[in-house]
Amino acid sequence: MERELSVLENAFDSLNESFRQYRLGELTSVNLKFSVMLFAHFVELAQIHLLQATGAPRGKRPGFANDTKILSSSGERVMPADLAESIDSLRKKRNEMQHNRVTYKPFEVRILISTVLTSFYAYARGFEVELKDGVDKENLQLFSHLTNPKVAFLAIAQDKALAVSDNGVSYGCYECGENRVASKHEDKITCHNCLHVHSLNT
């Protein structure tokens, strides 16, 4: 049976699969690579939909980078500069993962996806596109977490604490009260959530 998808439906397919890979990436970081690639595909297609909604031409050389440039420099609903920069970073990371030797830290991937999604969610609403409506039920909680900077930052802080710790152990922080957010480096314990630094020599 043949299945037909609009550009936006195609985008949501990739977004939902990106979320599934993201959740699996909580256990193994290799899935985060696929999450980035699928998430970038979602943004690429979503941009095409937004351009089609405005009737704006995609230019003589249509493509991911060019579409971001058009949305950030013309029309009534100009893409914010910080969102355009985040999307460029996402596109470059996607290209690196597809075509080159790649190194990445899980918390950096989570920061990138959360940053782009939070801003793109608000931007798309200006086109009367509600991203939440295209998210599968099983992914709604993750979508809510990623678009809530406070919740997303806590999860990222916990990832980072484990990744940069001298001894491979993460600690709770008595200053902010969160668990698994601090790491030991030399003679200091640093919280990656509230940024409090505790010296072990005092």
Side-chain angles (χ1 to χ4, degrees):
M1 182 177 178
E2 187 176 50
R3 185 184 180 195
E4 183 176 346
L5 297 171
S6 68
V7 172
L8 190 58
E9 288 169 337
N10 195 2
F12 282 137
D13 256 8
S14 290
L15 178 62
N16 281 296
E17 188 56 40
S18 172
F19 284 156
R20 293 185 190 100
Q21 293 297 323
Y22 188 102
R23 296 203 320 271
L24 289 170
E26 294 174 1
L27 300 175
T28 169
S29 63
V30 69
N31 295 94
L32 288 177
K33 181 187 79 169
F34 296 107
S35 182
V36 169
M37 294 169 69
L38 287 159
F39 183 72
H41 187 240
F42 153 71
V43 175
E44 182 175 13
L45 291 176
Q47 285 190 149
I48 293 172
H49 174 79
L50 298 185
L51 284 171
Q52 290 176 344
T54 63
R58 296 185 65 201
K60 295 180 179 179
R61 299 179 62 185
F64 197 169
N66 191 57
D67 291 346
T68 304
K69 185 176 180 180
I70 293 172
L71 286 168
S72 61
S73 61
S74 62
E76 296 179 3
R77 290 160 284 193
V78 175
M79 179 181 286
D82 58 345
L83 174 56
E85 290 173 7
S86 296
I87 290 176
D88 280 340
S89 296
L90 172 67
R91 178 179 53 79
K92 289 173 183 176
K93 180 58 70 176
R94 188 278 307 267
N95 290 346
E96 180 184 345
M97 289 176 165
Q98 281 186 325
H99 304 298
N100 294 296
R101 177 178 178 272
V102 62
T103 59
Y104 62 94
K105 294 183 176 68
F107 71 86
E108 293 174 338
V109 167
R110 297 184 195 282
I111 289 171
L112 182 59
I113 290 177
S114 179
T115 300
V116 173
L117 184 61
T118 300
S119 297
F120 198 78
Y121 179 34
Y123 179 62
R125 280 180 160 178
F127 293 80
E128 298 183 356
V129 174
E130 180 58 61
L131 298 186
K132 189 175 181 179
D133 290 346
V135 177
D136 291 346
K137 185 177 180 179
E138 67 185 82
N139 294 321
L140 282 173
Q141 184 177 29
L142 177 58
F143 178 84
S144 178
H145 287 175
L146 288 172
T147 53
N148 182 325
K150 184 177 180 180
V151 175
F153 190 75
L154 175 59
I156 290 163
Q158 291 172 332
D159 263 1
K160 187 173 183 179
L162 199 57
V164 303
S165 176
D166 281 353
N167 57 5
V169 176
S170 57
Y171 303 87
C173 175
Y174 65 81
E175 190 72 18
C176 65
E178 298 293 351
N179 296 319
R180 299 181 291 110
V181 292
S183 60
K184 179 183 178 295
H185 180 63
E186 297 180 348
D187 62 346
K188 295 178 180 178
I189 299 289
T190 301
C191 176
H192 302 282
N193 184 55
C194 71
L195 307 182
H196 176 75
V197 178
H198 172 69
S199 176
L200 296 175
N201 294 330
T202 58

